Amino acid sequence: SSSSSLHLSSLQQQFRLQRASFHASAICWEKLNVEGLAKKVNLEGKNVLVRVDLNVPLAKDEMTVTDDTRLRAIVPTAKFLLDHG
């Protein structure tokens, strides 16, 4: 119907205006490690969310970790953030 197409056109125009007024800072587009982040942002007193895959292979007893590479890999990042936050 004419009314629904008019409503859709109005929504499309609103979306275009919202998109046109959005300005992302350059930091949003950069992929940063924690050292790079610390150079751009003062981390003192801030919360930092770190996504880490800690799934590790286990022995048949399902208690013994057979490869702790992923666990060891997070240690420098965690230490850095604790020292700078």
Side-chain angles (χ1 to χ4, degrees):
S1 78
S2 173
S3 173
S4 64
S5 65
L6 180 60
H7 180 69
L8 180 59
S9 176
S10 174
L11 289 175
Q12 288 172 333
Q13 184 175 3
Q14 287 176 355
F15 178 72
R16 281 191 204 104
L17 289 173
Q18 288 174 350
R19 258 184 51 204
S21 65
F22 175 76
H23 298 285
S25 69
I27 196 168
C28 291
W29 301 108
E30 294 179 41
K31 183 176 179 181
L32 299 174
N33 59 19
V34 290
E35 290 88 358
L37 178 65
K39 288 178 185 174
K40 294 185 175 278
V41 178
N42 180 5
L43 298 177
E44 189 172 333
K46 301 284 195 288
N47 293 320
V48 177
L49 177 66
V50 179
R51 184 174 184 264
V52 182
D53 182 359
L54 295 178
N55 289 319
V56 293
L58 300 175
K60 290 188 183 204
D61 65 5
E62 295 188 6
M63 297 291 289
T64 307
V65 174
T66 59
D67 181 1
D68 65 353
T69 304
R70 289 183 180 184
L71 301 174
R72 291 179 184 270
I74 188 59
V75 172
T77 300
K79 282 184 178 179
F80 180 88
L81 290 171
L82 289 170
D83 291 345
H84 291 84

